[in-house]
Amino acid sequence: MYAKNLVCRKCGATYPLENRYSCERCGGILEVTYDYEKAFAEEPIENPDTDYPGLWKYHAMLPVRDKRNIVSLGEGDTPLIGAGRITELWGCNLQMLVKAEMMMPTGSFKDRPTSVGVSVAKEKGFGKIVVASSGNASAAAAGYAARAGMDCVVFVPETTDINKVIQAQSYGAQVICVKGSYSRSFNMAKTCAEKYGWANVTSTFINPYTVEADKTPAYELYSQLKRRVPDYVFIPIGSGPLLVGMVKGYEEMMKMGLVDRIPAMIGVQVSACEPITRAYDRGIDTVEGWNQEIKTAAGGISDPLIGYEGDGELTLSTVRKTSGMMVSLNEEEVQEALDVVERKLGLYCEPTGAVSVGAVKKMWDKGLLKEDSLAVCLTTGHGFKYSGRSPKKPPVIESVEQIDRLVR
């Protein structure tokens, strides 16, 4: 393991690799730092440890010292799928690929940070974890806690999709609904972790170890694209650790001499809850919590950031650092994106995950993307988690003669 310590992103204060959620000096967000000289010499990205599955083949660049503490269900190594049918339909003169992050053991990209967060919690001797979630992280935390033999408490907004609640309960977690937006669930998990001594594996920026897993899609793209760096990476955004994590992955590969640039990161929100996009559009650095009513099919990214606006500001500054952009889709655009992902790619997707694809069309139509560029879209959640569909009852027949009138 090359991990060395925790460093505050704001003031630079350094701490050992302990269970810590913020800087005690300034309250800033912490991140894990590594011995990059050693990593440069031993090339853990070019020569991953294939004795371990999925993202854990990069365990040298993750913060778990003893490999016996790894808690894995085989997460990572998600497929990269060509989306040429969609670009032809839209008349987009670019190459688009979809990295299907919903193809994970519990059905979402949250398996990456949760696997690492639970592994670190196990290594530090915790027997109980807590998580705040809009749905996907609750299922992931419950599943990995079951795998690790830990107890799990989940706080979700009362509006959370029932399919996600059922999934977390099926793994044996205690699921508790909290009135109000996701921010209230976030603060409930934070308070209970402090009061009861549980490990908080909420996959925002509160746990510095979970964010480390979010750089592994960048490592995988390096391999899948045979060292080519995309021009754009489109990512659905709540608070933004996946985007920030992927940028860190590319920065690390730059330090190792593997790539010479970072993709422009495109963060995608929805008009019903767009605190980061609003700040981007206004050209300011300060993100304000979203106090308006939230009603959207893309519930997985409807994070108002109330009380932890600094998460959004870190994401915003990271987007700008890569010469990227923020964009939001309205509900009609969300539905169009979902339809095209399912009917043109054959990926059963939840609306939250499909917004990355929809953002390509929106930005292409506005002339914001370069011709002949390479865009990679991360689709983050599986369709079985979404219960908002209106099922169409299929016809019932008695004989083959009835087929004619059905298939005309």
Side-chain angles (χ1 to χ4, degrees), residues 106-181:
T106 78
S108 86
F109 80 107
K110 292 293 186 179
D111 286 4
R112 293 183 189 269
T114 304
S115 176
V116 174
V118 171
S119 298
V120 172
K122 178 182 177 182
E123 187 158 84
K124 297 187 181 305
F126 285 91
K128 194 165 191 172
I129 63 171
V130 63
V131 66
S133 172
S134 57
N136 284 330
S138 68
Y144 284 86
R147 176 70 172 168
M150 294 179 175
D151 293 327
C152 178
V153 176
V154 168
F155 292 107
V156 297
E158 60 180 333
T159 56
T160 298
D161 196 304
I162 189 61
N163 287 351
K164 297 177 181 179
V165 173
I166 292 171
Q167 187 182 8
Q169 290 174 328
S170 297
Y171 292 126
Q174 182 178 7
V175 180
I176 302 171
C177 293
V178 181
K179 287 187 175 296
S181 70

Side-chain angles (χ1 to χ4, degrees), residues 7-13 23 26 28-32 205 208 211-212 241 244-245 248 251 314 318 321:
V7 174
C8 177
R9 292 175 180 265
K10 186 175 181 180
C11 73
C23 176
C26 71
I29 295 170
L30 301 174
E31 72 168 324
V32 180
F205 291 100
V211 181
E212 292 304 297
V244 172
K248 182 173 183 178
E251 288 175 336
L314 172 58
T318 304
K321 179 172 65 175

Side-chain angles (χ1 to χ4, degrees), residues 254-313:
M254 285 184 70
K255 291 176 181 177
M256 297 178 211
L258 301 179
V259 300
D260 58 4
R261 64 182 179 88
I262 298 170
M265 291 288 166
I266 313 299
V268 189
Q269 298 200 291
V270 286
S271 302
C273 184
E274 53 174 1
I276 305 175
T277 301
R278 180 173 60 182
Y280 174 83
D281 288 342
R282 292 176 177 176
I284 60 177
D285 299 328
T286 303
V287 172
E288 298 176 0
W290 191 261
N291 288 303
Q292 302 175 34
E293 180 184 5
I294 301 171
K295 188 176 181 181
T296 177
I301 51 175
S302 58
D303 187 341
L305 298 175
I306 297 172
Y308 47 100
E309 292 84 354
D311 286 18
E313 291 168 358

